[in-house]
Amino acid sequence: MKKFVLAASIALLTACSAPQQEQLSLKLQPQLSMNTIAQGKTFTLTSKDVRAAQYVALVDSGRSNIEPIHSKQNVRIALENALLEQFESQGFKNTVNSENNIQVEVQEALVSVKHSVMENQMDANLVLEVTAETPKGKLVKTYNGSAKRSGMLSASNDDIQAVLNDVMNLVLKEIASDSELQNYMKDRF
């Protein structure tokens, strides 16, 4: 019995001391509207993530070692919640059984990082496809956000996280101010 307790204790301590994989925090800032453009028009919001891999950053330190970094939050759910807040601030109402649908498809969300001890280069890309569908028709729009940033020394996770959040917030802002999407939803929902 003592051997079992000792073995279990060692296994538990080993698991606790194993290095945890670094993760990035998503800090999305929905663009809330001060003016309601639609009063009580309903929609059902769905989303899907069609990315080949779920990491949000690839770090190449030049030693033939490329390390993926994931986000703490689910990217699809974080973007869906931010868009839901945006649409609701415009006066639209999310319901479960509306005949009007908005589907958000996350096609790309990635920061590519190349760094050495002396410098870093970060390229961030986000591609979202938003489909607004009603019995009267369908509008499909693709929103692209990209950013490049370089700096001295190697890139920290905070630097990578800042670039990722900047790109995501830029795309949210673009969707919030898209008059074509707003008019389509206002007129047909």
Side-chain angles (χ1 to χ4, degrees):
M1 181 70 175
K2 285 183 181 179
K3 288 182 182 178
F4 175 73
V5 170
L6 182 61
S9 298
I10 290 172
L12 186 60
L13 287 173
T14 304
C16 291
S17 67
Q20 298 294 317
Q21 187 175 9
E22 298 281 339
Q23 292 185 326
L24 304 178
S25 270
L26 299 179
K27 295 178 178 143
L28 302 183
Q29 299 169 342
Q31 300 295 310
L32 303 180
S33 175
M34 297 300 151
N35 304 331
T36 57
I37 59 172
Q39 197 61 40
K41 299 208 176 210
T42 63
F43 69 97
T44 301
L45 181 64
T46 59
S47 62
K48 64 181 177 178
D49 192 341
V50 296
R51 296 177 296 150
Q54 297 304 301
Y55 50 77
V56 292
L58 280 177
V59 180
D60 181 357
S61 57
R63 296 179 207 104
S64 66
N65 179 11
I66 298 176
E67 176 189 353
I69 302 176
H70 292 79
S71 66
K72 290 179 183 174
Q73 301 91 341
N74 182 304
V75 172
R76 177 190 64 80
I77 292 173
L79 286 165
E80 179 181 317
N81 288 338
L83 287 169
L84 182 60
E85 279 188 62
Q86 287 184 186
F87 292 137
E88 287 182 340
S89 76
Q90 294 171 347
F92 297 100
K93 185 176 182 205
N94 186 39
T95 62
V96 179
N97 56 357
S98 176
E99 62 182 11
N100 306 311
N101 296 300
I102 295 178
Q103 180 173 3
V104 179
E105 185 175 281
V106 182
Q107 296 178 344
E108 184 178 1
L110 182 65
V111 180
S112 297
V113 182
K114 290 187 180 194
H115 70 159
S116 66
V117 176
M118 301 302 288
E119 63 182 357
N120 69 71
Q121 174 70 42
M122 293 182 276
D123 295 320
N125 290 302
L126 176 67
V127 179
L128 293 182
E129 183 179 272
V130 176
T131 304
E133 188 169 7
T134 71
K136 303 170 190 167
K138 181 194 302 191
L139 174 69
V140 180
K141 298 214 55 182
T142 302
Y143 299 92
N144 297 295
S146 63
K148 293 184 183 299
R149 191 175 290 172
S150 60
M152 302 301 284
L153 306 175
S154 61
S156 70
N157 278 359
D158 288 341
D159 297 333
I160 298 167
Q161 180 176 291
V163 171
L164 178 65
N165 284 316
D166 286 350
V167 167
M168 289 186 164
N169 287 324
L170 283 172
V171 170
L172 287 172
K173 189 174 187 175
E174 184 183 349
I175 293 170
S177 62
D178 184 347
S179 58
E180 183 181 11
L181 178 62
Q182 288 174 359
N183 289 335
Y184 187 89
M185 292 169 65
K186 182 176 67 173
D187 296 341
R188 300 193 184 194
F189 279 15

